[in-house]
Amino acid sequence: MAGLIKRGNVWFAIWRGYNRKPIQRTTGIKIKTGGLTARQTRKLAQAQADEMEMIYRKKTIVQNANKIFRAIAEENGLSKPLPTIKEYLTTYPALAKPNTEKQRQHAFREFLTWLGKDAELSIADIKSEHIRKHLLHLLQRYRTGTVVRRREFLAAAFNRAVKVDEYLYHSPMRDVQLRQLMNSKDIQDDSESREPFTEEEMRKILNDFPQPYRDLAAASFYLGGLRLGDTCMLRWKNVNIDRGVVFVKEQKTGKPRYIHIIAPLRERLLARKAQQEEGEEFVFPETARKYQYSRGTVSTDFTNLLKAFGIATRREDTTALKGGRRQIAIKCFHSIRHTVVSWACSASFLASNVVRETVGHSTDKMLQQYYTAADKAKRKVLETLASIVSEDTDNVTDTSTDNSTDTDTDTPVPA
């Protein structure tokens, strides 16, 4: 039987764990609340504390215990009835940026559609098995990265329910790990890291691609690997050619940055300005309007251009994925950002913290995820290793000695 202690105005359950150390958990029941006496609230808290200890010792089912707690709380006016899964997810508050919220609501709608009649269950009745089966369903349709984001949306929602409601303390997401789920069902991991462009490929993009994609890629490249959305939506009011700076407020992070305009980009910007009508808002109006209408259109067009100019966007040895999933392109517009990081980090005279500030990464860990050593740098490593061996060989002296002594020598013998 669990004990009870007072902490502030709340009853806390206490019992000894398997290692004999005391474990404390809040019962969520206030000592003085709703006109009840301390004796009455203690009785409610004791029943809840006993159930909590039994759950810890795996002597009862979590869902049944939750129902007991809920019934006691509702009977005494300490809590409102729980919403259904559908009611909870459809009224989930918008807590992020519009684009993220759009993706979140799509993930919720897809989950509710998959649940069918079970969507009318109480939120306390959602089980880990529901989540496992839904994620397996998604893994047959989408790439791993997409499923990871869907899982994060669901986890945030159900974990929040546990934090908001004092009588819920078990999230169905707690025991569901996507990697373990994939391994148990032998599901391929289709995540591919982007690859940087080679020097020849980058020159082809900057010099041979048709407009506006040639200048669009140049702006991204010369502005330190600027992301596609930030490049497409670049406005003339944020470009000061005379001062030589561009102001960017990143769509992904909301971080404001000033980036220097170097000579090759300045020439392209002046040429675009001269060709556009007076009062044009965007530096790249064609791609800006495409991006506003459909964000994936510009990226798809650029990837198609890569293929047309003979730049491989997928590995030849990649096997087809099972189900309806598609392979991710290892070279696309975002590869320009990988190229900038990889080339800059491979230059021995550029400090990594300066590179990180230039491209706008918040941490060195993120910078490392984008880094792939340039071919010249890797060749330099091998040449350095070879030179070390070569130098050691040249400096080796013949240590063999002639034991015979030439007594006829005129060389004086040291004292």
Coordinates of all heavy atoms in Angstrom, one line a residue, residues 281-368:
E281 N 8.7 43.6 -57.5 CA 9.0 43.3 -56.1 C 10.1 42.2 -55.9 O 10.9 42.4 -55.0 CB 7.7 42.8 -55.4 CG 7.8 42.4 -54.0 CD 6.5 41.9 -53.4 OE1 5.6 41.7 -54.1 OE2 6.5 41.7 -52.1
F282 N 10.0 41.2 -56.7 CA 10.9 40.1 -56.5 C 12.2 40.1 -57.4 O 12.1 40.5 -58.5 CB 10.2 38.7 -56.7 CG 9.1 38.5 -55.7 CD1 7.8 38.7 -56.1 CD2 9.3 38.1 -54.4 CE1 6.7 38.5 -55.2 CE2 8.3 37.9 -53.5 CZ 7.0 38.1 -53.9
V283 N 13.3 39.6 -56.8 CA 14.5 39.5 -57.7 C 14.3 38.4 -58.7 O 14.7 38.5 -59.9 CB 15.7 39.1 -56.7 CG1 16.9 38.9 -57.6 CG2 15.9 40.2 -55.7
F284 N 13.6 37.3 -58.3 CA 13.3 36.2 -59.3 C 11.7 36.1 -59.4 O 11.2 35.2 -58.7 CB 13.9 34.9 -58.8 CG 15.4 35.0 -58.6 CD1 15.9 35.2 -57.3 CD2 16.3 35.0 -59.7 CE1 17.3 35.3 -57.1 CE2 17.6 35.1 -59.5 CZ 18.1 35.2 -58.2
P285 N 11.0 36.9 -60.1 CA 9.6 36.9 -60.1 C 9.0 35.6 -60.6 O 7.9 35.2 -60.1 CB 9.2 38.1 -61.0 CG 10.4 38.4 -61.8 CD 11.6 38.0 -60.9
E286 N 9.6 35.0 -61.6 CA 9.1 33.8 -62.2 C 9.0 32.7 -61.2 O 8.0 32.0 -61.0 CB 9.9 33.3 -63.4 CG 10.2 34.4 -64.5 CD 11.5 35.1 -64.2 OE1 11.9 35.4 -63.1 OE2 12.1 35.5 -65.2
T287 N 10.1 32.4 -60.5 CA 10.2 31.3 -59.5 C 9.4 31.7 -58.2 O 8.9 30.8 -57.6 CB 11.6 31.0 -59.2 OG1 12.3 32.1 -58.8 CG2 12.3 30.4 -60.4
A288 N 9.4 33.0 -57.9 CA 8.7 33.5 -56.7 C 7.2 33.1 -56.8 O 6.6 32.6 -55.9 CB 8.8 34.9 -56.5
R289 N 6.6 33.4 -58.0 CA 5.2 33.1 -58.2 C 4.9 31.6 -58.2 O 3.9 31.1 -57.7 CB 4.7 33.8 -59.4 CG 4.7 35.3 -59.2 CD 4.2 36.1 -60.5 NE 4.2 37.5 -60.2 CZ 5.3 38.3 -60.3 NH1 6.4 37.8 -60.8 NH2 5.2 39.6 -60.0
K290 N 5.8 30.8 -58.8 CA 5.7 29.4 -58.8 C 5.8 28.8 -57.4 O 5.0 28.0 -57.0 CB 6.8 28.7 -59.7 CG 6.5 28.7 -61.2 CD 7.6 27.9 -61.9 CE 7.4 27.8 -63.4 NZ 8.4 27.0 -64.0
Y291 N 6.7 29.4 -56.6 CA 6.9 28.9 -55.3 C 5.7 29.2 -54.4 O 5.3 28.4 -53.6 CB 8.1 29.5 -54.7 CG 8.5 29.0 -53.3 CD1 9.3 27.8 -53.2 CD2 8.2 29.7 -52.2 CE1 9.6 27.3 -52.0 CE2 8.5 29.2 -50.9 CZ 9.2 28.1 -50.8 OH 9.6 27.6 -49.6
Q292 N 5.1 30.4 -54.6 CA 3.9 30.8 -53.8 C 2.7 29.8 -54.2 O 1.9 29.5 -53.3 CB 3.5 32.2 -54.1 CG 4.5 33.2 -53.5 CD 4.2 34.6 -53.9 OE1 4.0 34.9 -55.1 NE2 4.1 35.5 -52.9
Y293 N 2.6 29.4 -55.4 CA 1.5 28.6 -55.8 C 1.7 27.2 -55.4 O 0.8 26.5 -54.9 CB 1.3 28.7 -57.3 CG 0.2 27.8 -57.9 CD1 -1.1 28.2 -57.7 CD2 0.5 26.6 -58.5 CE1 -2.2 27.4 -58.2 CE2 -0.6 25.8 -59.0 CZ -1.9 26.2 -58.8 OH -2.9 25.4 -59.3
S294 N 2.9 26.6 -55.6 CA 3.2 25.3 -55.2 C 4.7 25.2 -54.9 O 5.5 25.3 -55.8 CB 2.8 24.3 -56.3 OG 3.2 23.0 -56.0
R295 N 5.1 24.9 -53.7 CA 6.5 25.0 -53.3 C 7.3 23.9 -53.9 O 8.5 24.1 -54.1 CB 6.6 24.8 -51.7 CG 5.9 25.9 -51.0 CD 6.2 25.9 -49.5 NE 5.8 27.2 -48.9 CZ 6.2 27.6 -47.7 NH1 7.0 26.8 -47.0 NH2 5.7 28.7 -47.1
G296 N 6.7 22.8 -54.3 CA 7.5 21.7 -54.9 C 7.8 21.9 -56.3 O 8.7 21.2 -56.9
T297 N 7.1 22.9 -57.0 CA 7.3 23.0 -58.5 C 8.7 23.5 -58.8 O 9.3 22.9 -59.7 CB 6.2 24.0 -59.0 OG1 4.9 23.6 -58.6 CG2 6.3 24.2 -60.5
V298 N 9.2 24.5 -58.1 CA 10.5 25.0 -58.5 C 11.6 23.9 -58.2 O 12.5 23.7 -59.1 CB 10.8 26.2 -57.6 CG1 12.2 26.8 -58.0 CG2 9.8 27.3 -57.8
S299 N 11.5 23.2 -57.1 CA 12.4 22.1 -56.9 C 12.4 21.0 -57.9 O 13.4 20.6 -58.4 CB 12.2 21.5 -55.5 OG 13.1 20.5 -55.2
T300 N 11.2 20.7 -58.3 CA 11.0 19.6 -59.4 C 11.6 20.1 -60.7 O 12.3 19.3 -61.4 CB 9.5 19.3 -59.6 OG1 9.0 18.8 -58.3 CG2 9.4 18.2 -60.6
D301 N 11.3 21.4 -61.1 CA 11.9 21.9 -62.3 C 13.4 21.9 -62.3 O 14.1 21.6 -63.3 CB 11.4 23.3 -62.5 CG 9.9 23.4 -62.9 OD1 9.3 22.3 -63.2 OD2 9.3 24.5 -62.8
F302 N 14.0 22.3 -61.2 CA 15.5 22.3 -61.1 C 16.0 20.9 -61.2 O 17.0 20.7 -61.8 CB 15.9 22.9 -59.7 CG 17.3 23.2 -59.6 CD1 17.9 24.4 -60.1 CD2 18.2 22.3 -59.0 CE1 19.3 24.6 -60.1 CE2 19.5 22.5 -58.9 CZ 20.1 23.7 -59.4
T303 N 15.4 19.9 -60.5 CA 15.9 18.5 -60.6 C 15.8 18.0 -62.0 O 16.7 17.3 -62.5 CB 15.0 17.6 -59.6 OG1 15.1 18.1 -58.3 CG2 15.5 16.2 -59.6
N304 N 14.7 18.3 -62.7 CA 14.6 17.9 -64.1 C 15.7 18.5 -65.0 O 16.2 17.9 -65.9 CB 13.2 18.3 -64.7 CG 12.1 17.5 -64.1 OD1 12.3 16.4 -63.6 ND2 10.9 18.1 -64.0
L305 N 16.1 19.8 -64.7 CA 17.2 20.4 -65.4 C 18.5 19.6 -65.1 O 19.3 19.5 -66.0 CB 17.3 21.8 -65.0 CG 16.4 22.8 -65.6 CD1 16.5 24.2 -65.0 CD2 16.6 22.9 -67.2
L306 N 18.7 19.2 -63.9 CA 19.9 18.4 -63.6 C 20.0 17.2 -64.4 O 21.0 16.9 -65.0 CB 19.9 18.0 -62.1 CG 20.1 19.2 -61.1 CD1 19.9 18.6 -59.7 CD2 21.4 19.9 -61.2
K307 N 18.9 16.5 -64.6 CA 18.8 15.3 -65.4 C 19.1 15.6 -66.8 O 19.8 14.9 -67.5 CB 17.4 14.6 -65.2 CG 17.1 14.1 -63.9 CD 15.7 13.5 -63.8 CE 15.3 13.1 -62.4 NZ 13.9 12.6 -62.3
A308 N 18.5 16.7 -67.3 CA 18.7 17.1 -68.7 C 20.1 17.4 -69.1 O 20.6 17.2 -70.2 CB 17.8 18.3 -69.0
F309 N 20.9 17.9 -68.1 CA 22.2 18.3 -68.3 C 23.2 17.2 -67.9 O 24.4 17.4 -67.7 CB 22.6 19.6 -67.6 CG 22.2 20.9 -68.3 CD1 20.8 21.3 -68.3 CD2 23.1 21.6 -69.0 CE1 20.4 22.4 -69.0 CE2 22.7 22.7 -69.7 CZ 21.3 23.1 -69.7
G310 N 22.7 16.0 -67.7 CA 23.5 14.9 -67.4 C 24.1 14.8 -66.0 O 25.1 14.1 -65.8
I311 N 23.4 15.4 -65.1 CA 23.9 15.3 -63.7 C 23.0 14.3 -63.0 O 21.8 14.5 -62.8 CB 23.8 16.7 -63.0 CG1 24.7 17.7 -63.7 CG2 24.2 16.6 -61.5 CD1 24.6 19.1 -63.2
A312 N 23.6 13.2 -62.5 CA 22.8 12.1 -61.9 C 22.2 12.6 -60.6 O 22.9 13.2 -59.7 CB 23.7 10.9 -61.6
T313 N 20.9 12.4 -60.4 CA 20.2 12.8 -59.2 C 19.9 11.6 -58.3 O 19.5 11.8 -57.1 CB 18.8 13.4 -59.5 OG1 18.0 12.5 -60.3 CG2 19.1 14.7 -60.4
R314 N 20.2 10.4 -58.7 CA 20.0 9.2 -57.9 C 21.2 8.2 -58.1 O 21.8 8.2 -59.2 CB 18.7 8.5 -58.1 CG 17.5 9.2 -57.6 CD 16.2 8.5 -57.9 NE 15.1 9.1 -57.2 CZ 14.4 10.1 -57.7 NH1 14.7 10.6 -58.8 NH2 13.4 10.7 -57.0
R315 N 21.5 7.4 -57.1 CA 22.6 6.4 -57.3 C 22.1 5.3 -58.2 O 21.0 4.8 -58.1 CB 23.0 5.9 -55.9 CG 23.6 6.9 -55.0 CD 24.3 6.2 -53.8 NE 24.9 7.2 -52.9 CZ 24.4 7.7 -51.9 NH1 23.2 7.3 -51.5 NH2 25.0 8.6 -51.1
E316 N 23.0 4.8 -59.0 CA 22.6 3.8 -60.0 C 22.4 2.5 -59.3 O 21.6 1.6 -59.7 CB 23.7 3.6 -61.0 CG 23.9 4.9 -61.9 CD 25.0 4.7 -62.9 OE1 25.6 3.6 -62.9 OE2 25.2 5.6 -63.8
D317 N 23.1 2.2 -58.1 CA 23.0 0.9 -57.4 C 21.9 0.9 -56.4 O 21.8 -0.1 -55.7 CB 24.4 0.6 -56.8 CG 24.7 1.7 -55.7 OD1 24.1 2.8 -55.7 OD2 25.7 1.5 -54.9
T318 N 21.0 1.9 -56.4 CA 20.0 1.9 -55.4 C 18.8 1.0 -55.8 O 18.3 1.1 -56.9 CB 19.4 3.3 -55.2 OG1 20.5 4.2 -54.8 CG2 18.3 3.4 -54.2
T319 N 18.5 0.1 -55.0 CA 17.4 -0.9 -55.3 C 16.0 -0.2 -55.1 O 15.9 0.7 -54.3 CB 17.5 -2.1 -54.4 OG1 17.4 -1.7 -53.0 CG2 18.8 -2.9 -54.6
A320 N 15.0 -0.7 -55.8 CA 13.7 -0.1 -55.7 C 13.1 -0.4 -54.3 O 13.4 -1.5 -53.7 CB 12.8 -0.8 -56.7
L321 N 12.4 0.5 -53.8 CA 11.8 0.4 -52.4 C 10.4 -0.3 -52.5 O 9.7 -0.3 -53.5 CB 11.5 1.8 -51.8 CG 12.8 2.6 -51.6 CD1 12.4 4.0 -51.1 CD2 13.6 1.9 -50.5
K322 N 10.1 -1.0 -51.4 CA 8.9 -1.8 -51.4 C 7.7 -0.8 -51.1 O 7.9 0.3 -50.6 CB 8.9 -2.8 -50.3 CG 9.9 -3.9 -50.5 CD 9.9 -4.9 -49.4 CE 11.0 -6.0 -49.6 NZ 11.0 -7.0 -48.5
G323 N 6.5 -1.2 -51.5 CA 5.4 -0.3 -51.3 C 5.3 0.8 -52.2 O 5.9 0.8 -53.3
G324 N 4.6 1.9 -51.8 CA 4.5 3.0 -52.7 C 5.5 4.2 -52.5 O 5.2 5.3 -52.9
R325 N 6.5 3.9 -51.7 CA 7.5 4.9 -51.4 C 8.4 5.2 -52.6 O 8.7 4.4 -53.4 CB 8.4 4.5 -50.2 CG 7.6 4.2 -48.9 CD 8.4 3.7 -47.9 NE 9.0 2.4 -48.2 CZ 10.1 1.8 -47.7 NH1 10.7 2.5 -46.8 NH2 10.5 0.7 -48.0
R326 N 8.9 6.5 -52.6 CA 9.8 6.9 -53.7 C 11.2 7.2 -53.2 O 11.3 7.5 -52.0 CB 9.2 8.2 -54.3 CG 9.1 9.4 -53.4 CD 8.5 10.6 -54.1 NE 8.4 11.7 -53.2 CZ 9.4 12.5 -52.9 NH1 10.6 12.4 -53.4 NH2 9.2 13.6 -52.0
Q327 N 12.1 7.1 -54.0 CA 13.5 7.4 -53.6 C 13.7 8.9 -53.6 O 13.2 9.6 -54.4 CB 14.5 6.8 -54.7 CG 14.6 5.3 -54.6 CD 15.4 4.8 -53.4 OE1 15.9 5.6 -52.6 NE2 15.6 3.5 -53.3
I328 N 14.5 9.3 -52.6 CA 14.8 10.7 -52.5 C 16.0 11.0 -53.4 O 16.9 10.2 -53.6 CB 15.2 11.1 -51.0 CG1 15.3 12.6 -50.9 CG2 16.4 10.3 -50.6 CD1 15.5 13.0 -49.4
A329 N 15.9 12.2 -54.0 CA 17.0 12.6 -54.9 C 18.2 13.0 -54.1 O 18.1 13.8 -53.1 CB 16.6 13.8 -55.8
I330 N 19.4 12.4 -54.4 CA 20.6 12.8 -53.6 C 21.2 14.1 -54.1 O 22.0 14.7 -53.4 CB 21.7 11.6 -53.8 CG1 22.0 11.4 -55.2 CG2 21.2 10.4 -53.1 CD1 23.2 10.5 -55.4
K331 N 20.8 14.6 -55.3 CA 21.2 15.9 -55.8 C 20.0 16.6 -56.3 O 19.3 16.2 -57.1 CB 22.3 15.7 -56.9 CG 23.6 15.2 -56.4 CD 24.7 15.2 -57.5 CE 26.0 14.8 -56.9 NZ 27.1 14.8 -57.9
C332 N 19.8 17.8 -55.7 CA 18.7 18.7 -56.0 C 19.1 20.1 -55.7 O 20.3 20.4 -55.5 CB 17.5 18.2 -55.2 SG 17.7 18.3 -53.5
F333 N 18.2 21.0 -55.6 CA 18.6 22.4 -55.3 C 19.2 22.5 -54.0 O 20.2 23.3 -53.8 CB 17.3 23.3 -55.4 CG 17.7 24.8 -55.4 CD1 17.9 25.5 -56.5 CD2 17.8 25.5 -54.2 CE1 18.2 26.8 -56.5 CE2 18.1 26.8 -54.1 CZ 18.3 27.5 -55.3
H334 N 18.7 21.8 -53.0 CA 19.3 21.8 -51.6 C 20.7 21.4 -51.6 O 21.5 21.6 -50.6 CB 18.4 21.0 -50.7 CG 18.6 21.4 -49.2 ND1 18.3 22.6 -48.7 CD2 19.1 20.7 -48.2 CE1 18.6 22.7 -47.4 NE2 19.1 21.5 -47.1
S335 N 21.2 20.6 -52.6 CA 22.6 20.2 -52.7 C 23.5 21.4 -52.8 O 24.7 21.2 -52.5 CB 22.8 19.2 -53.9 OG 22.0 18.0 -53.7
I336 N 23.0 22.5 -53.3 CA 23.9 23.7 -53.3 C 24.3 24.1 -51.9 O 25.5 24.4 -51.7 CB 23.1 24.9 -54.0 CG1 22.8 24.6 -55.4 CG2 24.0 26.2 -53.9 CD1 21.9 25.6 -56.1
R337 N 23.4 23.9 -51.0 CA 23.8 24.2 -49.6 C 24.8 23.2 -49.1 O 25.8 23.6 -48.4 CB 22.6 24.2 -48.7 CG 22.7 24.7 -47.3 CD 21.4 24.8 -46.6 NE 21.5 25.3 -45.2 CZ 21.7 26.5 -44.8 NH1 21.9 27.5 -45.7 NH2 21.8 26.8 -43.5
H338 N 24.7 22.0 -49.4 CA 25.7 20.9 -49.1 C 27.0 21.2 -49.7 O 28.1 21.0 -49.2 CB 25.2 19.6 -49.5 CG 24.1 19.0 -48.6 ND1 24.3 18.1 -47.6 CD2 22.8 19.3 -48.6 CE1 23.2 17.8 -47.0 NE2 22.2 18.5 -47.6
T339 N 27.0 21.7 -51.0 CA 28.2 22.0 -51.7 C 29.0 23.2 -51.0 O 30.2 23.1 -50.8 CB 27.8 22.5 -53.1 OG1 27.1 21.4 -53.8 CG2 29.1 22.7 -53.9
V340 N 28.2 24.2 -50.6 CA 28.9 25.4 -50.0 C 29.6 24.9 -48.7 O 30.7 25.3 -48.4 CB 27.8 26.5 -49.7 CG1 28.4 27.5 -48.8 CG2 27.3 27.1 -51.0
V341 N 28.8 24.1 -47.9 CA 29.4 23.7 -46.6 C 30.6 22.8 -46.8 O 31.6 22.9 -46.1 CB 28.3 23.0 -45.7 CG1 28.9 22.3 -44.5 CG2 27.2 23.9 -45.3
S342 N 30.5 21.8 -47.7 CA 31.5 20.9 -48.0 C 32.8 21.5 -48.5 O 33.9 21.2 -48.0 CB 31.0 19.8 -49.0 OG 29.9 19.1 -48.4
W343 N 32.6 22.4 -49.5 CA 33.8 23.1 -50.0 C 34.5 24.0 -49.0 O 35.7 24.1 -48.9 CB 33.4 23.9 -51.3 CG 33.1 23.1 -52.4 CD1 32.9 21.7 -52.5 CD2 32.8 23.5 -53.8 NE1 32.5 21.3 -53.7 CE2 32.5 22.4 -54.6 CE3 32.8 24.8 -54.4 CZ2 32.2 22.5 -55.9 CZ3 32.5 24.9 -55.7 CH2 32.2 23.8 -56.5
A344 N 33.6 24.7 -48.2 CA 34.2 25.7 -47.3 C 34.9 25.0 -46.1 O 36.0 25.4 -45.7 CB 33.1 26.6 -46.7
C345 N 34.3 23.9 -45.6 CA 34.9 23.1 -44.5 C 36.2 22.4 -45.0 O 37.0 22.1 -44.2 CB 33.9 22.1 -43.9 SG 32.6 22.9 -43.0
S346 N 36.3 22.1 -46.3 CA 37.4 21.4 -46.8 C 38.6 22.3 -47.0 O 39.7 21.9 -47.2 CB 37.1 20.7 -48.1 OG 36.2 19.7 -47.9
A347 N 38.3 23.6 -47.0 CA 39.4 24.6 -47.1 C 40.1 24.8 -45.7 O 39.4 25.3 -44.8 CB 38.9 26.0 -47.6
S348 N 41.3 24.5 -45.6 CA 42.0 24.4 -44.3 C 42.1 25.8 -43.7 O 42.3 26.0 -42.5 CB 43.4 23.8 -44.5 OG 44.2 24.6 -45.5
F349 N 42.1 26.9 -44.5 CA 42.3 28.2 -44.0 C 41.0 28.9 -43.5 O 41.0 30.0 -43.1 CB 42.9 29.1 -45.1 CG 42.2 29.1 -46.4 CD1 41.1 30.1 -46.6 CD2 42.5 28.3 -47.4 CE1 40.4 30.1 -47.8 CE2 41.8 28.3 -48.6 CZ 40.8 29.2 -48.8
L350 N 39.8 28.1 -43.6 CA 38.5 28.7 -43.2 C 38.1 28.0 -41.9 O 38.0 26.8 -41.8 CB 37.5 28.5 -44.2 CG 37.6 29.2 -45.6 CD1 36.5 28.9 -46.5 CD2 37.6 30.7 -45.3
A351 N 37.9 28.8 -40.9 CA 37.5 28.2 -39.6 C 36.1 27.7 -39.6 O 35.2 28.4 -40.3 CB 37.7 29.3 -38.5
S352 N 35.8 26.6 -38.9 CA 34.4 26.0 -39.0 C 33.4 27.0 -38.4 O 32.2 27.0 -38.9 CB 34.4 24.7 -38.3 OG 34.7 24.9 -36.9
N353 N 33.7 27.7 -37.4 CA 32.7 28.6 -36.8 C 32.4 29.8 -37.7 O 31.2 30.2 -37.8 CB 33.2 29.2 -35.4 CG 34.5 30.0 -35.6 OD1 35.3 29.7 -36.5 ND2 34.7 31.0 -34.7
V354 N 33.3 30.2 -38.6 CA 33.0 31.2 -39.6 C 32.2 30.7 -40.7 O 31.2 31.3 -41.1 CB 34.4 31.8 -40.2 CG1 34.1 32.8 -41.2 CG2 35.2 32.4 -39.1
V355 N 32.4 29.4 -41.1 CA 31.6 28.8 -42.1 C 30.2 28.6 -41.5 O 29.2 28.9 -42.2 CB 32.2 27.4 -42.4 CG1 31.2 26.6 -43.4 CG2 33.5 27.5 -43.1
R356 N 30.0 28.2 -40.3 CA 28.7 28.0 -39.7 C 27.9 29.3 -39.7 O 26.7 29.3 -40.0 CB 28.9 27.5 -38.2 CG 27.6 27.3 -37.5 CD 27.8 26.5 -36.2 NE 28.8 27.1 -35.3 CZ 28.5 28.1 -34.5 NH1 27.2 28.5 -34.4 NH2 29.4 28.5 -33.7
E357 N 28.6 30.4 -39.3 CA 27.9 31.7 -39.3 C 27.5 32.1 -40.7 O 26.4 32.8 -40.9 CB 28.8 32.8 -38.7 CG 29.0 32.6 -37.2 CD 27.7 32.9 -36.4 OE1 26.9 33.7 -36.9 OE2 27.4 32.2 -35.4
T358 N 28.3 31.8 -41.7 CA 28.1 32.3 -43.1 C 26.8 31.6 -43.6 O 26.0 32.2 -44.3 CB 29.3 32.0 -43.9 OG1 30.4 32.6 -43.4 CG2 29.1 32.4 -45.4
V359 N 26.7 30.3 -43.4 CA 25.6 29.5 -43.9 C 24.3 29.6 -43.0 O 23.3 29.2 -43.5 CB 26.0 28.0 -44.2 CG1 27.1 28.0 -45.2 CG2 26.3 27.3 -42.9
G360 N 24.5 30.1 -41.8 CA 23.4 30.2 -40.9 C 23.0 29.0 -40.1 O 21.8 28.9 -39.7
H361 N 23.9 28.1 -39.9 CA 23.6 26.9 -39.1 C 23.8 27.3 -37.6 O 24.7 28.1 -37.2 CB 24.6 25.8 -39.4 CG 24.2 25.0 -40.6 ND1 25.1 24.3 -41.4 CD2 23.0 24.8 -41.2 CE1 24.4 23.7 -42.4 NE2 23.2 24.0 -42.3
S362 N 22.9 26.8 -36.8 CA 22.9 27.2 -35.3 C 23.9 26.4 -34.5 O 24.4 26.9 -33.5 CB 21.5 27.0 -34.7 OG 21.1 25.6 -34.9
T363 N 24.3 25.2 -35.0 CA 25.2 24.4 -34.2 C 26.3 23.7 -35.1 O 26.0 23.6 -36.3 CB 24.5 23.3 -33.4 OG1 23.9 22.4 -34.4 CG2 23.4 23.8 -32.5
D364 N 27.4 23.3 -34.5 CA 28.4 22.6 -35.3 C 27.9 21.2 -35.7 O 28.3 20.7 -36.7 CB 29.7 22.4 -34.4 CG 30.4 23.7 -34.2 OD1 30.3 24.6 -35.1 OD2 31.1 23.9 -33.2
K365 N 27.0 20.6 -34.9 CA 26.4 19.3 -35.3 C 25.7 19.4 -36.6 O 25.8 18.5 -37.4 CB 25.5 18.8 -34.1 CG 24.9 17.4 -34.4 CD 24.1 17.0 -33.2 CE 23.5 15.6 -33.5 NZ 22.6 15.2 -32.3
M366 N 24.9 20.5 -36.7 CA 24.1 20.6 -38.0 C 25.1 20.9 -39.1 O 24.9 20.3 -40.2 CB 23.2 21.8 -37.8 CG 22.4 22.1 -39.1 SD 21.3 20.7 -39.6 CE 20.1 20.7 -38.3
L367 N 26.1 21.6 -38.9 CA 27.1 21.9 -39.9 C 27.7 20.6 -40.4 O 27.9 20.3 -41.6 CB 28.2 22.8 -39.4 CG 29.2 23.3 -40.4 CD1 28.6 24.3 -41.4 CD2 30.4 23.9 -39.7
Q368 N 28.0 19.7 -39.4 CA 28.7 18.4 -39.8 C 27.8 17.5 -40.6 O 28.2 16.8 -41.4 CB 29.1 17.7 -38.5 CG 30.0 16.5 -38.6 CD 31.3 16.9 -39.2 OE1 31.8 18.0 -39.0 NE2 31.9 16.1 -40.0

